[in-house]
Amino acid sequence: MKNKSIIFTAFALVIGIGSACTKLDENAYDIIPADKFYTNKNEVISAVLRPYTHANAWVTPSGQDGWWRLAELSGDQLAWPTKGPHGEDGGKWKRLHYHSWTVDEAGINNAWSLMYGGVGYCNDPIVNIESRDIASMGITQAEKNAYVAELKLLRAFHYLKLMDLFGNIPIATGAVDPSNPILPNTTPRKDVFTFIEKEILDNINNVPKLAKSQLGRMSQASGYAMLVELYLNAEVWTGTQRWDDCISAANKLINNEAGGQNGNMALDPNIFDQFKNTNDLSKEVIFSIAYDFTRAKFEPSWTGEFYHFAQRDIYGGGRNGNDGIVLIPEVYNKYETEDLRKTGWLLFGPQKKFVDGSDVLGTVEYAGKPLTFVDNIQKNSKGSTVSNMSEGEENSGVRFNKYKLGNSIPGIVNGVRVEPDPNYNNTDWNVYRLTWIYFAKAEAIMRKNGGAATAEAVQLINDCKSRAYDPAVWPSKAYTTSTLNLNELLAERGREFIFEGYRRDDLIRFGKLTTEKWWDHSPSASFRSLYPIPQRQRDLNAKLTQNPGY
């Protein structure tokens, strides 16, 4: 049984804080005013944990417009095509895919609002905890310092992702006074970068090292992971390369100097362990959005994004979805046949019922017929070969199978009866994992070396990739300094981190987001490497400057 104190505590306590949003189109108040809160340690902890539960909405594919959707659905691996009568949704997915979004895009405004709402959930307890004496809150000075540092790291994480999507953004660090709202100015991206870096460096040593007790919370390890991300993208975000700094921050994690979720931090020997419903036992997860359905009834929301209308028949669970996001055609074939990620992380071909192995049946174009997921997006039932974002059917596209929820009913697996999984629906969503750090360090080494791989870079990637192959096959699949170049590194990043939210950044860093063609997507204007500042936000705050091109 899992013991995820972050989720249990957050849901077990009544959470009430004052208005804490930098979102300027509404005034939100909670039940308990701030001057009546923070009167004991439990109330302090609940305020510290509140932004984590909110992060589920924008960090993960949660069914809401957040960072994840904007980061993945503009790239070359995933899309949400219209499938028969479903998924048109006003054309929003097509505009993301074709890079034709506008300044009035509701989804982009929703992402901005969700993410800045999270900033507000950080700012309010920072201000309130910093301004109160420890006796009135029932905590020690050391606890006060640690809570404030943790919240500042989490706020830095919000700003990192906002900077990623929007570039020049406003910075707000105080709680909002609804009677006298302050309209912040736009801050240049380079200065936002400096603010984030300073916040991390100033606070990283005041939070605990990663340990089981810090699962799902900011720690020294997640601080270093953020630094790795900052420095890996520094040339794009500031115009200045920071490869040595990227390597130094990565080494803090690789050398186990910042703790580990389960003992010493290390790559999991099994490539599937980071994505199971027991991935709280993983040794390589650095920071995650933690779920505990067993105790807190807080469950992952990504099923709506990925699952078919009859998905519960496939997994033996209680979750179906909106038959939404699929692989862009031919991404599936970028995995070799022997690659265990192809069969383990992706769902392709005829689908069978978990309960007895019989055929799963379709519900729309294939109602009453066996459901088979195909690697194309076209109206096969009508004999059409036209393939684009408007031509899908319910079975179009290879599907998500990376994270596993388990089963809630008995079933048959390889001829053997299995009972309901006691950890069903408890799967954490990984934000940073050690594999990503290995890849970042390898890339920094190669870029320092003019794009050529060194023996160290090759070893880092091979240490990760080798888990995806049977040991008897692996020697012929290993990279060498002559076969690992930057283009191959980008391709391997795509295979390894599919669904994890990093594809847009990778394509930008490798100069391909707006210059390349994939499937039915044509190259777009260079300004599309940033999203527009939502027009609704500019209507509310005239100090916000629009990004170039919009």
Side-chain angles (χ1 to χ4, degrees):
M1 184 84 56
K2 290 192 172 187
N3 182 20
K4 296 181 178 177
S5 59
I6 176 175
I7 300 304
F8 182 77
T9 305
F11 274 73
L13 299 174
V14 177
I15 299 173
I17 59 176
S19 177
C21 287
T22 55
K23 181 180 169 187
L24 301 175
D25 57 342
E26 63 182 49
N27 292 325
Y29 302 90
D30 291 294
I31 296 172
I32 305 175
D35 61 356
K36 303 296 184 184
F37 203 61
Y38 300 95
T39 61
N40 59 64
K41 186 174 181 178
N42 278 347
E43 290 178 350
V44 173
I45 292 174
S46 71
V48 172
L49 297 183
R50 179 63 181 91
Y52 291 105
T53 56
H54 178 79
N56 159 68
W58 66 267
V59 177
T60 76
S62 68
Q64 300 189 63
D65 295 309
W67 167 79
W68 189 92
R69 283 182 173 177
L70 299 186
E72 282 287 9
L73 297 184
S74 57
D76 64 351
Q77 291 189 305
L78 305 178
W80 191 324
T82 301
K83 303 184 193 71
H86 299 108
E88 181 63 22
D89 297 335
K92 63 187 294 185
W93 313 122
K94 295 175 184 176
R95 291 191 293 276
L96 278 176
H97 176 75
Y98 295 128
H99 295 186
S100 59
W101 52 76
T102 70
V103 298
D104 296 313
E105 206 74 48
I108 295 176
N109 182 66
N110 292 342
W112 175 286
S113 297
L114 268 179
M115 296 170 76
Y116 269 108
V119 171
Y121 280 125
C122 294
N123 283 342
D124 189 276
I126 289 172
V127 170
N128 278 286
I129 295 172
E130 281 189 323
S131 64
R132 285 168 165 75
D133 65 85
I134 58 175
S136 69
M137 295 185 288
I139 60 176
T140 66
Q141 186 64 47
E143 288 171 332
K144 176 178 179 177
N145 295 342
Y147 291 148
V148 170
E150 177 181 355
L151 286 163
K152 287 184 176 181
L153 286 181
L154 185 56
R155 183 176 64 188
F157 175 69
H158 284 71
Y159 277 123
L160 189 157
K161 296 303 187 182
L162 281 160
M163 176 184 66
D164 165 25
L165 296 178
F166 298 105
N168 308 318
I169 56 172
I171 295 176
T173 57
V176 170
D177 178 358
S179 65
N180 184 31
I182 297 173
L183 302 180
N185 293 303
T186 298
T187 301
R189 196 183 210 181
K190 186 175 181 179
D191 295 337
V192 178
F193 183 103
T194 300
F195 167 79
I196 296 167
E197 181 184 24
K198 185 176 188 303
E199 285 281 278
I200 297 171
L201 294 175
D202 286 351
N203 291 284
I204 194 167
N205 291 323
N206 293 324
V207 296
K209 290 185 176 182
L210 179 59
K212 193 71 170 182
S213 60
Q214 288 298 112
L215 186 149
R217 294 174 65 173
M218 280 286 152
S219 66
Q220 289 185 25
S222 46
Y224 284 116
M226 285 192 285
L227 289 175
V228 172
E229 184 173 3
L230 273 180
Y231 298 143
L232 182 66
N233 293 288
E235 187 172 18
V236 171
W237 291 346
T238 71
T240 301
Q241 298 175 352
R242 300 285 293 273
W243 306 125
D244 285 328
D245 290 329
C246 180
I247 293 167
S248 296
N251 284 338
K252 293 286 187 179
L253 297 162
I254 294 171
N255 297 335
N256 194 44
E257 296 180 41
Q261 185 172 272
N262 291 282
N264 290 340
M265 188 178 292
L267 293 178
D268 289 328
N270 186 317
I271 202 164
F272 305 114
D273 285 349
Q274 310 96 289
F275 309 105
K276 295 178 178 178
N277 59 15
T278 54
N279 58 356
D280 60 324
L281 302 178
S282 167
K283 296 181 75 68
E284 79 161 75
V285 175
I286 297 170
F287 177 54
S288 62
I289 304 299
Y291 299 96
D292 191 340
F293 180 73
T294 304
R295 299 196 307 154
K297 303 306 177 187
F298 185 46
E299 63 184 3
S301 303
W302 38 260
T303 53
E305 306 280 274
F306 298 119
Y307 281 11
H308 183 270
F309 304 127
Q311 195 86 14
R312 64 185 179 188
D313 291 338
I314 300 170
Y315 290 139
R319 313 289 302 276
N320 284 327
N322 296 317
D323 198 30
I325 296 169
V326 301
L327 268 64
I328 285 172
E330 294 304 315
V331 172
Y332 181 68
N333 288 329
K334 293 182 180 180
Y335 292 84
E336 295 181 303
T337 302
E338 304 93 336
D339 191 331
L340 300 177
R341 297 170 297 188
K342 186 172 189 175
T343 52
W345 290 356
L346 309 174
L347 207 57
F348 172 77
Q351 299 305 302
K352 303 296 181 180
K353 290 184 178 180
F354 179 84
V355 67
D356 59 11
S358 62
D359 289 333
V360 174
L361 302 181
T363 61
V364 189
E365 292 90 352
Y366 296 90
K369 300 177 183 178
L371 178 66
T372 299
F373 294 138
V374 297
D375 185 23
N376 62 59
I377 297 172
Q378 58 197 45
K379 297 187 184 302
N380 294 305
S381 66
K382 298 182 178 179
S384 174
T385 59
V386 177
S387 180
N388 59 49
M389 284 285 286
S390 300
E391 295 295 315
E393 297 181 320
E394 66 168 309
N395 69 337
S396 294
V398 178
R399 307 302 173 99
F400 170 94
N401 194 36
K402 196 169 191 176
Y403 283 83
K404 308 295 198 301
L405 292 180
N407 59 294
S408 61
I409 61 173
I412 303 296
V413 177
N414 297 324
V416 178
R417 177 182 169 86
V418 295
E419 299 303 321
D421 189 334
N423 288 301
Y424 173 70
N425 234 8
N426 286 342
T427 315
D428 301 337
W429 183 270
N430 303 327
V431 179
Y432 293 115
R433 58 188 179 100
L434 190 59
T435 300
W436 189 86
I437 302 300
Y438 271 54
F439 271 74
K441 181 180 177 181
E443 182 179 335
I445 291 171
M446 291 174 66
R447 291 192 183 276
K448 280 188 61 180
N449 196 40
T454 66
E456 183 181 12
V458 167
Q459 188 64 53
L460 287 163
I461 303 303
N462 281 341
D463 284 347
C464 300
K465 185 182 177 183
S466 62
R467 300 171 298 171
Y469 291 85
D470 184 278
V473 174
W474 168 244
S476 65
K477 306 297 182 182
Y479 286 119
T480 66
T481 53
S482 60
T483 59
L484 182 62
N485 53 42
L486 285 177
N487 282 336
E488 180 57 29
L489 180 64
L490 176 63
E492 184 60 21
R493 286 190 65 91
R495 290 185 286 266
E496 178 64 31
F497 302 113
I498 192 167
F499 306 116
E500 295 189 40
Y502 291 100
R503 192 57 178 173
R504 171 181 167 275
D505 280 352
D506 290 349
L507 292 173
I508 291 172
R509 206 169 54 254
F510 283 77
K512 296 182 182 295
L513 179 70
T514 61
T515 62
E516 296 294 302
K517 174 179 173 56
W518 53 81
W519 182 38
D520 69 332
H521 168 94
S522 298
S524 58
S526 60
F527 70 84
R528 298 286 180 175
S529 61
L530 281 177
Y531 285 101
I533 307 303
Q535 186 59 45
R536 179 164 177 76
Q537 301 302 321
R538 298 190 69 227
D539 290 342
L540 294 162
N541 180 5
K543 295 181 180 180
L544 299 181
T545 304
Q546 186 56 273
N547 284 326
Y550 296 101

